[in-house]
Amino acid sequence: MAREDSVKCLRCLLFALNLLFWIMAICVLGVAAWLRDYLNNVLTLTADTRLEEAAILTYSPVVHPVIIAVCCFLIIVAMVGYCGTLKCNLFLLSWYFGCLLVILCVELASGVWTYEEPPILRSDMISLKSRMPNYGLPRYQWLTQAWNFFQTEFKCCGVIYFTDWLEMTEMEWPPDSCCAKQYPGCARQAHYWDLSDLHQEGCGPKIYSFIRGTKQLQVLRFLGVSIGVSQILAMTLTLTLLWALYYDRRAPDPPEQSLPAIDPAPHSPCQVEDLAKPCPARPVEAWTPALPNGHTQFEMEQIS
């Protein structure tokens, strides 16, 4: 009875952990997809610079296709673990344990890679100015879209200040994506009437902060650690459940064959139930063996 209660408890814990795996894997996929859009724009702006290498070093482990595939695979593994726990199937539970071990090794390698510090300095931000002269050219629409996206999302303008656009290009005013409230011609109006309508902070420090790590990256790291700890707990519970199920299904030992009880032959005329009573004395003739050639009678005469 105690073993059955323990098995039920283990199954309930594994059900909860598999549900937790589904939730955390879906959260990792969502945050990684959100970061991927920002990372693509940052890589476009920082192409052929040290900033590009630093961004790849920081974010590739969390948005790499291998990590995305691992999260998708974890969802499938959690479903298999749920089915194996529900049916108490030894094969499915063994496969579930092995897959969790492989996923844990991949996550550990990714975690070590993610925590490496990117080798960049704030002075490297100046190299972004080399990407500004091509803004607005027909053959560089992808670069124009990247600048507009980054300045809009991060609320910045230029590299150090909005005047970088006037220095590095032939533009008379910054792009409209520098406006706090965007509408066609807002930058021209702000340039001539009210500069406070433009974002006053440059995009260089924003990119530097992004490469060093964002809150979303910290969330991914926390989810990765949580998934790893949950996997270790799930593997421990799975091994315990496998042990319990194996010994429950093992064939019982054959019962020992007892020899039939043989009543000992009585050594006297007394019965077993009369053992408490004193046995009557037997006559001397009964104890005297019959000897041949009349020796019995001779011995009796000598005794008398």
Side-chain angles (χ1 to χ4, degrees):
M1 186 65 182
R3 178 172 291 181
E4 293 179 358
D5 293 338
S6 300
V7 170
K8 290 180 180 179
C9 182
L10 289 173
R11 293 175 65 188
C12 291
L13 290 175
L14 284 176
F15 287 148
L17 285 175
N18 287 323
L19 179 61
L20 189 62
F21 287 152
W22 289 335
I23 296 175
M24 289 191 294
I26 292 174
C27 290
V28 169
L29 291 175
V31 177
W34 184 87
L35 274 178
R36 197 175 184 85
D37 292 336
Y38 285 88
L39 181 61
N40 290 336
N41 286 279
V42 171
L43 294 178
T44 300
L45 298 179
T46 60
D48 301 327
T49 63
R50 293 180 58 186
L51 300 176
E52 181 185 21
E53 299 177 2
I56 293 175
L57 180 63
T58 303
Y59 285 93
S60 286
V62 295
V63 298
H64 197 275
V66 174
I67 302 301
I68 304 301
V70 166
C71 291
C72 296
F73 184 60
L74 180 60
I75 296 176
I76 299 175
V77 170
M79 295 177 63
V80 174
Y82 180 86
C83 295
T85 306
L86 182 64
K87 297 183 178 181
C88 294
N89 189 294
L90 295 179
F91 174 76
L92 291 179
L93 288 175
S94 302
W95 188 86
Y96 173 70
F97 174 83
C99 291
L100 286 181
L101 183 60
V102 173
I103 293 175
L104 180 63
C105 294
V106 175
E107 290 174 347
L108 288 177
S110 175
V112 173
W113 187 10
T114 303
Y115 277 95
E116 293 184 9
E117 291 292 335
I120 59 172
L121 301 174
R122 289 187 178 272
S123 58
D124 295 330
M125 301 298 112
I126 306 300
S127 61
L128 292 174
K129 290 186 177 183
S130 61
R131 312 292 293 173
M132 301 179 73
N134 296 326
Y135 179 87
L137 298 180
R139 57 181 300 185
Y140 292 100
Q141 290 298 321
W142 48 272
L143 181 61
T144 302
Q145 294 176 1
W147 272 113
N148 291 335
F149 176 85
F150 197 87
Q151 291 185 143
T152 301
E153 293 295 327
F154 286 86
K155 297 179 173 55
C156 59
C157 186
V159 177
I160 304 300
Y161 198 54
F162 72 89
T163 55
D164 295 334
W165 288 108
L166 308 181
E167 297 174 2
M168 301 302 299
T169 66
E170 297 179 357
M171 300 170 57
E172 297 181 1
W173 49 80
D176 290 340
S177 57
C178 289
C179 298
K181 296 181 180 180
Q182 294 184 19
Y183 56 88
C186 63
R188 178 181 180 180
Q189 183 177 357
H191 180 71
Y192 287 108
W193 296 96
D194 190 1
L195 293 178
S196 62
D197 292 339
L198 299 175
H199 297 307
Q200 302 299 311
E201 188 175 0
C203 295
K206 297 284 187 178
I207 294 179
Y208 180 83
S209 300
F210 180 85
I211 293 176
R212 299 292 292 183
T214 60
K215 294 181 179 179
Q216 290 76 17
L217 182 62
Q218 301 301 326
V219 170
L220 285 179
R221 287 174 175 173
F222 173 77
L223 288 174
V225 173
S226 301
I227 291 176
V229 173
S230 301
Q231 285 176 341
I232 295 175
L233 181 59
M235 288 189 294
T236 304
L237 295 176
T238 303
L239 282 179
T240 307
L241 182 59
L242 283 171
W243 177 83
L245 294 176
Y246 173 77
Y247 279 94
D248 281 345
R249 296 185 180 184
R250 191 179 62 174
D253 297 333
E256 296 181 358
Q257 296 181 356
S258 58
L259 297 175
I262 301 177
D263 296 335
H267 297 282
S268 67
C270 298
Q271 301 296 329
V272 178
E273 60 271 8
D274 298 330
L275 288 178
K277 300 179 182 180
C279 294
R282 297 180 62 183
V284 178
E285 292 81 358
W287 291 95
T288 306
L291 298 176
N293 301 325
H295 288 285
T296 304
Q297 183 178 1
F298 177 74
E299 291 177 357
M300 292 297 296
E301 290 177 356
Q302 289 182 350
I303 293 174
S304 59

